[in-house]
Amino acid sequence: MAATTPNIRKFFAQLTAGAMLAVALSSCAIVNGSEPDLSNFGVRQTVIANSLNRPWGMAWTSDSSVLITERDGQLKLLSWPESADGNQAPEIQTLTGVPTVFASGQGGLLDIALHPDFASNQLVYFTYSDGNQSANRTKVARAQFDGQAITNWQEIFANADSKADSQHFGSRLAWLPDGTLLVSLGDGGNPPVSFNGDVIRKQAQNLGTHFGKVIRINDDGSVPADNPFIEQPNAQPEIWSYGHRNIQGLAVDAETGQVWSTEHGARGGDELNTLEAGANYGWPDVSFSKEYVSRKPVAAATSQPGMVDPLMQWTPSIAPSGLAVYRGEAVPEWQGNVFVGALKFKQVIRIQPDEPGLLSEVITFEQRVRDIREGPDGFVYVLTDDKNGQLIRLEPEN
Ligand SMILES: [Ca+2]
């Protein structure tokens, strides 16, 4: 790692003693060991497109075209002529065929992912919020994209319960190697948002609702027969893992099948987890978070038997967003690395899971980072959360 720099000292000043201890005490094989390098790890940032209005998710449909969702409900197609040199500005089209969504606060048109067999079936998947300020819910839809237009929009999943306000919808999509689809669903919001007479966040521990869960569905929305709680009375059969606050980073390692996630804490306590079927990730019974208003701990404990500790947590909150596990060929030194986007800290954090030390290197941006994905060229692409949002390519300087 690089020698100590003012940036490194600044980074450690951002971590509380509790955070460092949590990493050091983690029962996982990954323990804190190395110092992060804030020197932007020799990465060049190239702005590929701008004038995107709060983009949220992206999916490449070919080597020269990418679909990008915008939170206010627009779906954009960015495409380049075949002769483009990679730095040329793309043509940007707004596609029709997406219904009006509930775009307010954190809600709107959210994630997008291609079906694993997109090349033959043209299926594209979306998450979005639907409803109004007093009753809304996260939904999943699929539609077809033939290179020109979106058609055959079909809702395939809806949270069984509605909630009020415009917080904590999730919602990231990630395909498992077996062809089933994971979807992250938020806990419904901060107090005083309530559900059945109590604060809604407690629903993350209630298997009877979809709030605060990762669900697993088939590509048509039906429930896989081997879901972990399918035999449990009164449990929602789609549930795959639970005890989550608001996962906005979800990725499957294309080589190992390992599921990675990042979730927002409240005041502090943002988490990086690896997810397993049937496991309980603790929220709100165990957490490093504090309440926004009172600043008292949300939970009495930060760890408890039967609940999985995070691999690491961030206090103060970085506000984690998109997540990618790099398996491209263009940058061998990134192989197997986990890239974490951060809204509040305007960062991408590159984590090397195989190295002694989770924290690795940080690259900073001028705008909040909303999503991060590997592109078809093997470089890493970032979407920034701004009214003049950008698509930015990251590649090694040399
Ligand atoms: Ca947790």
Side-chain angles (χ1 to χ4, degrees):
M1 304 303 288
T4 301
T5 67
N7 277 341
I8 289 176
R9 288 196 292 276
K10 182 181 167 195
F11 186 87
F12 276 106
Q14 292 162 352
L15 288 173
T16 65
M20 300 303 291
L21 189 64
V23 173
L25 292 180
S26 167
S27 59
C28 173
I30 299 169
V31 294
N32 187 56
S34 57
E35 294 184 346
D37 178 359
L38 282 195
S39 61
N40 283 353
F41 55 96
V43 166
R44 179 165 65 240
Q45 299 182 28
T46 304
V47 176
I48 302 297
N50 49 41
S51 75
L52 298 165
N53 181 16
R54 301 214 179 277
W56 213 94
M58 55 180 150
W60 265 265
T61 54
S62 76
D63 289 349
S64 58
S65 59
V66 57
L67 291 170
I68 295 179
T69 53
E70 293 179 334
R71 202 176 59 200
D72 73 349
Q74 304 288 306
L75 178 64
K76 295 289 173 68
L77 173 65
L78 277 59
S79 54
W80 290 262
E82 279 189 24
S83 58
D85 64 2
N87 293 318
Q88 191 174 326
E91 181 185 337
I92 302 180
Q93 293 172 255
T94 301
L95 299 182
T96 57
V98 177
T100 300
V101 301
F102 171 59
S104 174
Q106 297 170 4
L109 183 60
L110 302 174
D111 209 10
I112 180 169
L114 304 184
H115 189 285
D117 299 324
F118 170 78
S120 57
N121 64 23
Q122 304 179 324
L123 287 172
V124 183
Y125 289 70
F126 300 89
T127 62
Y128 58 106
S129 50
D130 190 30
N132 54 50
Q133 197 66 23
S134 58
N136 54 68
R137 67 191 81 207
T138 304
K139 292 185 174 181
V140 180
R142 69 178 183 179
Q144 282 185 298
F145 176 66
D146 62 4
Q148 305 292 327
I150 292 288
T151 55
N152 299 323
W153 183 276
Q154 176 193 13
E155 176 189 316
I156 62 164
F157 171 82
N159 188 320
D161 296 288
S162 67
K163 64 171 191 66
D165 219 307
S166 52
Q167 301 173 342
H168 300 191
F169 295 94
S171 50
R172 286 291 177 191
L173 296 163
W175 293 94
L176 288 173
D178 66 0
T180 59
L181 179 63
L182 298 181
V183 189
S184 65
L185 301 172
D187 72 353
N190 296 309
V193 179
S194 64
F195 184 83
N196 283 351
D198 203 348
V199 290
I200 195 170
R201 68 163 53 139
K202 291 186 178 178
Q203 294 302 312
Q205 291 293 323
N206 176 12
L207 293 174
T209 69
H210 290 120
F211 297 113
K213 311 298 188 315
V214 171
I215 62 158
R216 175 174 174 256
I217 54 178
N218 293 316
D219 67 356
D220 61 355
S222 62
V223 180
D226 57 349
N227 264 2
F229 302 106
I230 200 157
E231 306 286 350
Q232 188 162 317
N234 305 317
Q236 294 289 350
E238 296 92 353
I239 294 174
W240 189 76
S241 67
Y242 67 110
H244 303 294
R245 183 169 178 272
N246 195 22
I247 290 178
Q248 297 208 329
L250 186 67
V252 176
D253 186 328
E255 188 167 304
T256 66
Q258 176 69 63
V259 181
W260 292 81
S261 72
T262 48
E263 69 179 76
H264 287 237
R267 182 184 289 275
D270 296 350
E271 295 184 352
L272 175 71
N273 289 292
T274 51
L275 303 185
E276 303 290 343
N280 179 357
Y281 291 83
W283 179 259
D285 291 355
V286 297
S287 176
F288 287 85
S289 290
K290 292 183 174 167
E291 300 286 6
Y292 287 114
V293 179
S294 71
R295 303 197 176 205
K296 291 177 180 170
V298 169
T302 55
S303 186
Q304 192 171 305
M307 298 181 182
V308 182
D309 292 337
L311 294 183
M312 64 174 296
Q313 62 93 11
W314 289 274
T315 300
S317 291
I318 62 169
S321 50
L323 186 66
V325 182
Y326 185 80
R327 288 296 180 189
E329 293 178 357
V331 193
E333 61 266 35
W334 292 353
Q335 197 55 224
N337 289 181
V338 178
F339 288 80
V340 176
L343 289 158
K344 187 177 170 191
F345 274 29
K346 303 177 179 174
Q347 291 176 344
V348 166
I349 303 169
R350 180 170 77 110
I351 292 170
Q352 301 179 61
D354 296 335
E355 296 295 320
L358 259 178
L359 271 179
S360 159
E361 296 166 321
V362 173
I363 182 168
T364 54
F365 296 80
E366 292 179 357
Q367 299 178 338
R368 289 152 46 101
V369 173
R370 173 60 77 185
D371 198 15
I372 181 161
R373 307 278 174 111
E374 184 185 314
D377 56 5
F379 295 118
V380 169
Y381 286 80
V382 167
L383 285 178
T384 61
D385 178 55
D386 193 270
K387 285 181 179 171
N388 183 30
Q390 298 177 324
L391 175 66
I392 300 172
R393 183 175 64 228
L394 307 185
E395 56 192 306
E397 217 124 36
N398 298 306

